[in-house]
Amino acid sequence: MGRVPVVTAGGSSVFLPLSREDQAAHPHLPVIILEPSGLVHTPLLTVPGLDSVPLQFATQLDHLSPGGAQPHKPLSRTRSEPLPQSPRTLHTHLLQQQHNTQLLERLKQQTHLGKLMSKSSEKPRLHQIPSEDMDSEDGGGMSPTEPTYQSRVRAESLREAEPAASKSHEEQINLQHALILNQSLLWEQQKQLQQLHRQMETLAVPIGLGVHRPLSRTQSSPASTSLTLPEKTLSLAPQDTSSKPRFTTGLVYDSQMLKHQCTCGDNSSHPEHAGRIQSIWSRLQERGLRGQCESIRGRKATLEELQSVHTERHVLLYGTNPLNRLKLDNRKLAGILSQRMFVMLPCGGVGVDNDTIWNESHTSTASRMAAGSVVELAFRVAKGELKNGFAVVRPPGHHAETSNPMGFCYFNSVAIAAKQLQHKLSVSKILIVDWDVHHGNGTQEVFYSDPSILYISLHRYDDGNFFPGSGSPDEVGALAGEGFNVNIAWTGGLDPPMGDAEYIAAFRSVVMPIAQEFSPDVVLVSAGFDAAEGNPAPLGGYKVSAKCFSFLTRQLMSLAGGRLVLALEGGHDLTAICDASEACVSALLGIQDPLPEEVLLQKPNANAVHSLQTVIQIQSQYWQSVKAHSGSVGLSYLAAQARDCEETDAVNALASLSVGVLSNKSLPDEPMEHDSDSM
């Protein structure tokens, strides 16, 4: 028939409904097919997989003619019906259920039903109809309208189409069909009613209401869904405001950077380890600073972003791991990977040099995460979404050259951030201050000929005898970038070590005058804390206090409208780097922590004065502002301030005197002008 598939069984037609709509139009269509055997002996009061449900007889189906059939709707997933829209509908369902229950009791008392069913000696087999339980998420459930299903039904129909043995056999089959038809229909009604009861017990909402509360978070109490709550309770405004970013200091950190560690598993022989950033992050939490800041999500730098600073070979060699290499050009990678050179470290691990460890599975991810996090933070600050920021990242980056990893560094995070600010946000002038105790040879190399990037580094130099050996004061840049590379190279070793007074003098006489003359749009800081007191001599040996780093941060906040981003570089004493990081974040938040007066009254040592005078002599040919400070390098901060005030007063006095002289000279000329006007 064109309307529904038909299975001919013993001369009687068995119809298969395909949707709820067809059942409504023809309520006598059965749901489950039984193979006719004539040997049924078990009373079919239940069906496997279904609860016990009321049964009732239906009339014969022979009166249906093929001419009245119409195209059917294909089977689909079982759908639960909507709630009744009025109490009257619910009442009707409840009455129907009560009626069906009474009917079942009457049917059980009819002895002839048992006699008819006991004539059979074989259990019927049920053909399962595709339903919601059979449909899998990957589409494993097959639609009954598919050709494979139709051919299967057709084959079974031919197999089951056997001549009728007797009239009593036909009646038995018809009785079976009628029983199972009514079971399925009543089971469907019971399932709907049970679902309706559950919803009514859970929800304290009248069924007749046509409006509902907007979906929100699941509440633990059913009463919280009541429509009688005040309107302000339904508002989601408090959630929205809490998720909105605040214009404050941004922090970025990601636990993926912790996985970069030596394969030997012993951090005691590796000063650059995961505990560095883990300790800083915990300290910021303990002091309540993280709650005052906006924590942003870190991300991995893209290969294109890395190649804005590093060569393609370097990026593919150190920015990929065995997993993501599968997505790249294997032919190109094969040639590059064949050139890899690693060394065996004393600890038993692997490194790219004697102190820079390599972890095949995690180093590339951590390095890219560090670079991408600094880029993301710099973008947020440059666009004005955040006031300033601090990036708690590792491994460090300022030693990484365009095609060479070294000094614990693989990708130059600050340099990549500066390049991306230039390329994507068109930032015209960027200042990079590097106060790590080691010279940032990688950053200097990248921007050595770029006049739009001013690079100022304060580092232990010792005439080239301290790692990495670069950073001489006469390295000033090349071509168009000449004069935009400033190296404040400390000499004299640790006799005595440099401390607060020396770094304050450097900022007062060199860093801030040149920076103000350059007038940057954004300031990035390679914030290594290995000059802090507590780092051993091989890794620093200086005695800069945490309060001094706070002071230097406040100085730089006066530039570029406050658009300042600090990115962690070196620093290997956990207490020292935690103290310094806490002090810098506090300064970024505007928390004042002034230096002790004795520090402000302390003069820089002789080695520092000599180093600063050398720098001023070299840089004065490029920056006019440093010439005025050549005579005050050896003064303490307060003494230099007093001298500056005296000079300012003297200049103002001379200016006022000059104005007075000019006004006196102009008096005799006034009558002439008056006479000329009158003429």
Side-chain angles (χ1 to χ4, degrees), residues 652-668:
N652 290 337
L654 287 174
S656 62
L657 181 60
S658 300
V659 171
V661 170
L662 290 173
S663 62
N664 289 334
K665 286 183 178 180
S666 63
L667 286 175

Side-chain angles (χ1 to χ4, degrees), residues 636-648:
S636 68
Y637 181 79
L638 292 179
Q641 265 194 334
R643 176 176 171 172
D644 291 343
C645 289
E646 291 176 0
E647 290 180 352
T648 302

Side-chain angles (χ1 to χ4, degrees), residues 31 35 38 75 110 132 271 300 304 310 327 488 520 536 565-566 579 601 675:
V31 173
E35 289 185 358
L75 278 177
Q110 296 178 3
E132 185 175 13
K300 287 171 58 177
E304 291 75 16
H310 302 280
K327 306 174 185 177
I488 301 174
V565 175
L566 277 61
D579 291 345
L601 289 171
D675 294 340

Side-chain angles (χ1 to χ4, degrees), residues 13-26:
S13 299
V14 180
F15 293 84
L16 184 63
L18 297 175
S19 68
R20 290 292 300 165
E21 289 81 358
D22 282 331
Q23 290 186 12
H26 302 280

Side-chain angles (χ1 to χ4, degrees), residues 198-220:
R198 285 196 300 269
Q199 292 176 344
M200 291 181 63
E201 292 171 0
T202 304
L203 301 177
V205 183
I207 296 178
L209 291 177
V211 296
H212 62 85
R213 180 186 176 190
L215 288 177
S216 60
R217 290 185 178 273
T218 304
Q219 305 290 335
S220 59

Side-chain angles (χ1 to χ4, degrees), residues 251 280-290 582 585:
L251 293 178
I280 293 173
W281 196 243
S282 298
R283 171 69 71 87
L284 297 178
Q285 173 69 23
E286 293 167 4
R287 295 295 191 266
L289 297 175
R290 273 171 56 185
E582 177 188 347
V585 172

Side-chain angles (χ1 to χ4, degrees), residues 382-594:
K383 292 190 291 187
E385 297 175 6
L386 294 168
K387 185 178 181 181
N388 45 47
F390 188 95
V392 186
V393 295
R394 70 175 287 267
H398 70 150
H399 291 310
E401 298 176 336
T402 55
S403 59
N404 189 36
M406 61 182 291
F408 313 137
C409 306
Y410 288 91
F411 299 117
N412 199 318
S413 303
V414 170
I416 293 169
K419 282 286 190 181
Q420 294 304 306
L421 289 176
Q422 286 180 317
H423 295 167
K424 295 181 181 177
L425 294 185
S426 302
V427 178
S428 57
K429 290 189 293 183
I430 300 172
L431 167 64
I432 299 177
V433 176
D434 189 340
W435 64 45
D436 189 283
V437 79
H438 303 92
H439 178 243
N441 56 293
T443 311
Q444 173 175 292
E445 178 198 46
V446 173
F447 301 114
Y448 205 61
S449 303
D450 190 346
S452 64
I453 305 288
L454 172 61
Y455 177 65
I456 303 178
S457 176
L458 302 89
H459 54 272
R460 181 178 172 184
Y461 179 58
D462 294 349
D463 298 320
N465 294 315
F466 191 74
F467 182 87
S470 59
S472 170
D474 56 10
E475 297 173 5
V476 296
L479 303 175
E482 185 175 350
F484 293 92
N485 198 86
V486 181
N487 284 318
I488 301 174
W490 303 118
T491 58
L494 302 177
D495 187 27
M498 305 299 172
D500 292 1
E502 290 71 34
Y503 274 72
I504 291 171
F507 260 67
R508 177 181 56 81
S509 61
V510 179
V511 177
M512 294 306 297
I514 294 179
Q516 289 166 349
E517 188 174 344
F518 179 67
S519 186
D521 299 312
V522 177
V523 179
L524 306 177
V525 180
S526 288
F529 296 123
D530 37 14
E533 185 174 6
N535 286 275
L539 294 172
Y542 285 0
K543 296 186 178 298
V544 181
S545 70
K547 287 191 175 184
C548 183
F549 283 115
S550 174
F551 174 84
L552 304 183
T553 301
R554 290 196 301 272
Q555 293 277 300
L556 295 176
M557 288 170 66
S558 65
L559 302 169
R563 289 183 290 273
L564 173 65
V565 175
L566 277 61
L568 182 68
E569 292 284 359
H572 310 287
D573 180 83
L574 295 185
T575 302
I577 63 176
C578 288
D579 291 345
S581 299
E582 177 188 347
C584 289
V585 172
S586 297
L588 292 173
L589 286 167
I591 301 172
Q592 296 293 326
D593 189 12

Side-chain angles (χ1 to χ4, degrees), residues 586-643:
S586 297
L588 292 173
L589 286 167
I591 301 172
Q592 296 293 326
D593 189 12
L595 285 164
E597 189 176 1
E598 58 266 24
V599 174
L600 299 176
L601 289 171
Q602 184 181 352
K603 294 180 180 180
N605 63 48
N607 289 334
V609 172
H610 174 70
S611 300
L612 291 174
Q613 285 177 338
T614 302
V615 175
I616 290 174
Q617 181 183 357
I618 294 173
Q619 293 293 334
S620 59
Q621 57 183 319
Y622 307 108
W623 306 98
Q624 297 296 318
S625 55
V626 297
K627 294 180 180 179
H629 297 276
S630 59
S632 63
V633 172
L635 299 177
S636 68
Y637 181 79
L638 292 179
Q641 265 194 334
R643 176 176 171 172

